[in-house]
Amino acid sequence: MIHWHRPVVLVYRGAVAFPEGYLNRLLAVCGRNSAATGTCVYWRAPDGSSCIGMGTAVDTTVSGDQRFAHVKQVIADYPAHSATDEPTTLGSDVAAKWFVGGAFAVQSRRAPWLSWSDARAILPEFLFEQTADGRQTLTCQVVVAQGDTEANLATMLRGFERRLRMLVEQAERVDGAVVDATNSTMGSSTTATTAMPGATSTNAALPTPVSPPDESRAFLTAVADTAADIRAGKYTKAVLARRAVVNRAVNMTVDRVVPRLEAQNRETFVFAVRADEEWFVGASPERLVQLSGGEVAVDCLAGTTARSTDAAVDEQLGAELLASTKDREEHHVVVRWVTENLAGLVDDLELRTAPTLKKLRNVQHLWTAVRGLVRQGMTVLDLVDRLHPTPAVAGRPREVALEVIAEREQMDRGWYAGPIGWVDSRGDGEFAVALRSALFTDTDVHLYAGAGIMGDSKPESEWRETALKLRAMQAAIAPHGETVEATFEEAVAESVATAVDGSARGERANQAAPHTRARDDQ
């Protein structure tokens, strides 16, 4: 008989074959039976690789400014080994896969984010994965606690097998219509996944999110006051966000929303994670950082303009963005900030001298890829801790911008614009910035979007810019069967009309200032 002297993660990993849409079936099981499935987290990268983690091997929440250092220590406390046929023998070191997410800022949480901590680290029991080239694996991660015996382990494994069998059986019972939700929703119109703001249509409009009146007025006033501060030279930029709320319909379920996000935003990171009975879901275009085999990759997105269904107009919009002195300067500031903050952690940095365009469904951004080699002993969590939050989601100088956000945003951002991703036991991993995201509660869906405020920003224009960014999630939560080509003006006219009421002071303060494009990716 053996006794384990410290917690160990035993990793069972093997090739499997599951049918198309199976991960979505499992997501449906998670959404419908939280008590039986335990922890649930979903992740899909822009290259098409995807995975879903279910069950709870370890689920740890941490708080405070050292949250990512604490998460790093938690993972180190659970060394991972491959399982062997002989339970008394540990196999070689392997990379168990953890999912990690965190709030934009460390603070006391406010509604609707009361169930969400400053940071959370999840080691799922079961991990179903599919690579970009179609290879499929099932990984089982079993935590053997300190003091456990060989007999205890045998009992644990029997329970483990029962839970896995139950998940498989429940997935097989999921209605096939759920798995095909993407095709049936989007198939009624070939333009549904490509329509841009300004395209006219007679089809059903998107669900119209309504911002709480107090928050709406506060956002517009904050834009005016922040622009005035910047013109006075108090700081350079602050990113202000706002919230919009949609009543949650019965068909706004995670297993329907996630496939729509994937179909409509193929070049993004799609994620979903559950806390109690709530879900945080999004489709972010921005990678915060990736670490793989010592190689570091960071995406700098700053500078934004719209898309058009007219190819010539779309190309012209992109050309104007590339030629914009102000947008190029703002982009350069972000790139410079990223490279400076990687100093000491990353060597041999490589990047283009000029940005290129990254075209998304509704918007296009200036984009610069930064690459380098990580120094020995550093993990992706060290890089996350150093980089978050970037000027694209906070502002500059960063500490001043964070104070402005805390003072003027009449809400808790929660996990919106925070880091979310995965890390393995060796320290490799990938994180996105949680943009184009929403919190699903029992009764409502809370959507979030932000805009970078400069000295020439105008409140109503920034409101419209954030409305444009809300479209990704609006389209995903559209009632089943509706198309999503409603015009931009139709989608936001009522909200703007309501919000500008009481904001005359903000408009007057900015009346003389010309408006320029948004300069960040929120």
Side-chain angles (χ1 to χ4, degrees):
M1 181 176 292
I2 61 169
H3 290 270
W4 304 91
H5 299 293
R6 62 177 301 184
V8 172
V9 180
L10 295 182
V11 179
Y12 300 78
R13 180 176 290 127
V16 295
F18 40 79
E20 183 178 359
Y22 195 72
L23 297 189
N24 195 41
R25 286 180 179 268
L26 293 170
L27 195 58
V29 172
C30 284
R32 300 174 187 185
N33 194 350
S34 60
T37 57
T39 300
C40 187
V41 59
Y42 180 86
W43 177 265
R44 192 215 65 179
D47 66 1
S49 59
S50 57
C51 63
I52 184 169
M54 307 172 71
T56 308
V58 180
D59 190 348
T60 299
T61 59
V62 297
S63 59
D65 293 333
Q66 301 301 313
R67 52 186 170 157
F68 296 113
H70 292 160
V71 169
K72 181 180 177 181
Q73 185 58 53
V74 167
I75 295 173
D77 288 340
Y78 289 91
H81 298 268
S82 60
T84 67
D85 293 335
E86 173 54 57
T88 61
T89 303
L90 291 176
S92 59
D93 292 352
V94 294
K97 194 167 190 174
W98 297 68
F99 294 89
V100 177
F104 171 77
V106 172
Q107 65 179 72
S108 298
R109 301 267 74 86
R110 291 184 284 166
W113 293 97
L114 298 178
S115 297
W116 299 79
S117 56
D118 288 341
R120 183 180 175 195
I122 298 168
L123 180 70
E125 286 185 315
F126 310 107
L127 186 62
F128 297 81
E129 295 182 274
Q130 180 166 304
T131 62
D133 59 5
R135 288 179 290 116
Q136 299 169 332
T137 58
L138 169 61
T139 302
C140 301
Q141 303 177 136
V142 183
V143 172
V144 182
Q146 182 177 353
D148 272 343
T149 64
E150 183 179 343
N152 290 344
L153 176 59
T155 301
M156 289 170 53
L157 291 178
R158 286 193 294 270
F160 204 82
E161 291 173 358
R162 285 195 300 270
R163 291 193 296 279
L164 178 59
R165 190 178 304 114
M166 179 196 68
L167 292 177
V168 171
E169 291 173 353
Q170 290 187 2
E172 291 174 349
R173 292 197 297 267
V174 170
D175 185 355
V178 173
V179 179
D180 296 330
T182 303
N183 293 333
S184 60
T185 300
M186 308 307 298
S188 59
S189 170
T190 58
T191 62
T193 59
T194 58
M196 304 300 173
T200 58
S201 172
T202 58
N203 292 303
L206 299 174
T208 302
V210 178
S211 289
D214 290 347
E215 293 182 14
S216 301
R217 287 189 288 271
F219 176 81
L220 293 166
T221 300
V223 171
D225 292 346
T226 301
D229 285 350
I230 293 170
R231 290 194 298 273
K234 295 183 179 180
Y235 43 91
T236 306
K237 170 190 173 183
V239 178
L240 297 177
R242 67 177 179 92
R243 174 175 63 131
V245 182
V246 175
N247 292 332
R248 184 174 180 180
V250 66
N251 56 4
M252 291 182 187
T253 56
V254 65
D255 51 288
R256 293 188 185 276
V257 170
V258 166
R260 292 175 185 169
L261 282 174
E262 291 182 334
Q264 299 164 11
N265 305 275
R266 297 187 183 279
E267 60 288 298
T268 67
F269 295 91
V270 176
F271 55 85
V273 60
R274 185 176 63 203
D276 296 333
E277 298 302 318
E278 298 173 352
W279 286 88
F280 181 54
V281 180
S284 175
E286 184 172 355
R287 174 200 284 139
L288 178 62
V289 63
Q290 179 188 47
L291 176 60
S292 177
E295 297 182 357
V296 177
V298 177
D299 287 346
C300 298
L301 292 181
T304 306
T305 193
R307 298 292 308 277
S308 173
T309 52
D310 185 311
V313 173
D314 192 61
E315 184 177 351
Q316 179 63 28
L317 288 169
E320 291 175 355
L321 181 61
L322 286 168
S324 169
T325 301
K326 292 182 179 179
D327 284 298
R328 290 285 290 265
E329 172 58 25
E330 176 64 18
H331 185 82
H332 176 67
V333 168
V334 173
V335 173
R336 184 175 61 210
W337 185 93
V338 166
T339 55
E340 289 175 352
N341 278 269
L342 289 176
L345 300 182
V346 179
D347 296 321
D348 300 329
L349 287 175
E350 296 180 357
L351 62 156
R352 292 179 179 270
T353 57
T356 57
L357 290 176
K358 183 169 187 176
K359 292 179 178 284
L360 305 175
R361 182 170 180 264
N362 294 311
V363 295
Q364 48 191 317
H365 301 291
L366 295 180
W367 172 50
T368 295
V370 178
R371 303 292 183 260
L373 299 176
V374 74
R375 292 190 178 180
Q376 188 173 1
M378 296 294 104
T379 72
V380 71
L381 290 172
D382 295 302
L383 300 172
V384 169
D385 197 27
R386 179 68 65 89
L387 291 173
H388 175 75
T390 70
V393 294
R396 67 180 196 277
R398 182 164 69 174
E399 295 307 316
V400 177
L402 291 174
E403 292 175 2
V404 172
I405 291 169
E407 176 186 349
R408 291 181 175 163
E409 285 186 358
Q410 299 298 307
M411 65 173 189
D412 181 2
R413 289 191 182 188
W415 280 31
Y416 164 71
I420 190 165
W422 63 270
V423 56
D424 65 26
S425 302
R426 295 169 179 162
D428 284 355
E430 186 168 35
F431 281 76
V433 182
L435 305 175
R436 312 295 193 269
S437 54
L439 176 66
F440 288 66
T441 68
D442 287 343
T443 57
D444 299 302
V445 182
H446 301 258
L447 298 81
Y448 295 84
I453 309 306
M454 307 293 287
D456 55 5
S457 295
K458 297 177 66 177
E460 186 171 342
S461 296
E462 301 304 333
W463 180 278
R464 291 178 181 274
E465 178 65 31
T466 54
L468 175 63
K469 293 171 179 176
L470 292 173
R471 280 181 61 90
M473 188 58 67
Q474 281 181 268
I477 64 177
H480 184 64
E482 288 187 0
T483 52
V484 297
E485 305 97 313
T487 70
F488 176 52
E489 294 300 326
E490 289 171 344
V492 302
E494 182 178 354
S495 295
V496 171
T498 301
V500 297
D501 179 36
S503 67
R505 178 172 63 86
E507 283 295 325
R508 287 195 298 271
N510 288 272
Q511 196 168 22
H515 177 63
T516 58
R517 301 180 186 89
R519 297 171 178 80
D520 61 78
D521 186 49
Q522 280 210 30

